[in-house]
Amino acid sequence: MKNHKWNRIVLKVGSALIAPERKGCSSRYLLHIAKFILQCRDRGTEVILVSSGSVAAGAHFFGNIDKPSLPIKKAMAAAGQNEMMAAWDRFFDFPSAQILLTHGDFQDRERYDSVRETIFALLDHGILPVVNENDVVTTDALKVGDNDNLSAMVAAAADADALIICSDIDGLYDKNPHTNDDAVMIKNVNTIDQSIFDMAGGAHSSVGTGGMQTKIEAAEKATSHGLTTYIINGFKEHSFEQLILGKNPGTIFAPYAKPMEEDLHWMTHTAKAQGEVVIEDGFEYPLDEHCDQLTSNEILEVHGEFSAGDTILIRSDDGKHVAKAEANYSSCLLNYITEDETDAHHQTGPLVSDKNIAVLEHEATD
Ligand SMILES: Nc1ncnc2c1ncn2[C@@H]1O[C@H](COP(=O)(O)OP(=O)(O)O)[C@@H](O)[C@H]1O
Ligand SMILES: N[C@@H](CCC(=O)OP(=O)(O)O)C(=O)O
């Protein structure tokens, strides 16, 4: 696979590469990553950088406290973001542009289109977009939470051909190599199924977020959109030399032969559930074809507050995530009907829309 076939790539760089010791930014690893960006651009490949590291870069301003409170973490991000942007800028003789996003920007179609337009305009003018989560304004409801998933959302929104995740490890192993001496590296993944998710553990470093779990989630988001996804070791210059030569320096996840349609991809991988409806195990119908059979009769419990039109998660009693879909009724009404045992006439029509439904195939991870 030669990289000159890439028209556009998203390169995700983790915190450990930016501020390895939490003593501000270091050019130690950024130098060879910047060289790779230059080489790609010279070959006509547009690059979008998703750069973590604002919290790690800003930590030293706050005395590197061990367990910072949320407001202090946000303050570290605000101060570190400037340092991180400046660190990248030192390497380039072309301009870069800061894009700070939250999940809310992907959830809302107008804002999503606006982000896309801005990225395309920057690329058209040879400016390097540098994306990070807007940690200062995020709340639990609004945040993506990790830059692996954020990079996959950006890659899908920007119609990129490849997502390259630069980590602190060579690629995906069959188990966490930091805790298992016999872990074996996997060079190629053709299908991301539950067995691949089962291999992935959390982060071990003090600066990383999400570990391998969020990288597999990102790979699933990206490959189902038709992007080839790489996990490589960003500490090693050799990884980037191999990529330029069209070789595989880490783990490659093959893109779906038939990428998901845009709406289904958005519902599966981007839309955030505002609440959930628990139904009995063994609901018999394939939900995407027979969601008209799912009425209030099937509900065991309703969690969270949502309105008609919001995205909800349908979960079975044994915890399995069955589907995400657009609710036809509010949580308030569903709660009233399920709790009211006196009047069986209160049955609803279909709980969710048959136009906006995504059947989920993995076991719940939360
Ligand atoms: N199966 C696995 N294969 C490789 N790494 C794994 C695996 N399971 C867990 N990990 C952990 O994931 C880490 C990489 O993720 P993370 O610490 O979040 O770094 P980054 O800053 O690159 O996002 C590895 O260093 C390793 O400790
Ligand atoms: N937005 C955060 C990044 C969080 C994150 O996902 O970090 P990492 O696992 O190092 O990619 C920051 O800039 O510190």
Side-chain angles (χ1 to χ4, degrees), residues 17-32:
L17 294 159
I18 311 239
E21 260 104 53
R22 292 174 84 96
K23 291 184 189 140
C25 294
S26 158
S27 56
R28 189 156 159 208
Y29 306 113
L30 299 196
L31 184 60
H32 61 246

Side-chain angles (χ1 to χ4, degrees), residues 10 48-50 99-120 129-135 137-138 141-160 163 221 225 262-263 265-274 311 324:
V10 170
I48 299 163
L49 184 60
V50 174
I99 301 185
L100 296 175
L101 300 173
T102 67
H103 195 279
D105 301 315
F106 292 95
Q107 186 87 9
D108 179 305
R109 194 73 219 186
E110 250 181 88
R111 281 152 73 178
Y112 180 83
D113 288 340
S114 166
V115 171
R116 273 167 62 88
E117 282 166 14
T118 308
I119 290 177
F120 294 146
V130 184
V131 182
N132 194 4
E133 178 139 36
N134 193 347
D135 296 310
V137 302
T138 52
L142 271 181
K143 71 180 177 192
V144 178
D146 69 90
N147 276 1
D148 298 320
N149 276 293
L150 178 74
S151 65
M153 291 179 187
V154 169
D159 299 333
L163 169 63
K221 280 186 172 60
H225 203 268
E262 195 62 44
D263 287 353
H265 189 272
W266 185 85
M267 180 56 82
T268 310
H269 293 299
T270 303
K272 220 175 204 179
Q274 310 296 313
T311 300
K324 271 203 288 182

Side-chain angles (χ1 to χ4, degrees), residues 12 14-16 51-56 132-133 135 146-148 207-209:
K12 187 263 169 173
S15 308
S51 181
S52 301
S54 64
V55 174
N132 194 4
E133 178 139 36
D135 296 310
D146 69 90
N147 276 1
D148 298 320
V207 289
T209 307

Side-chain angles (χ1 to χ4, degrees), residues 12 167-168 171 173 175-176 178 199 201-204 209 211-212 215:
K12 187 263 169 173
S167 187
D168 61 356
Y173 286 72
K175 46 195 148 203
N176 189 344
H178 288 289
M199 293 174 188
H204 82 287
T209 307
M212 210 33 72
K215 288 171 186 46

Side-chain angles (χ1 to χ4, degrees), residues 44 123 130 188 230 285 318 358:
L123 293 172
V130 184
N188 291 284
Y230 298 74
Y285 311 99
D318 59 2

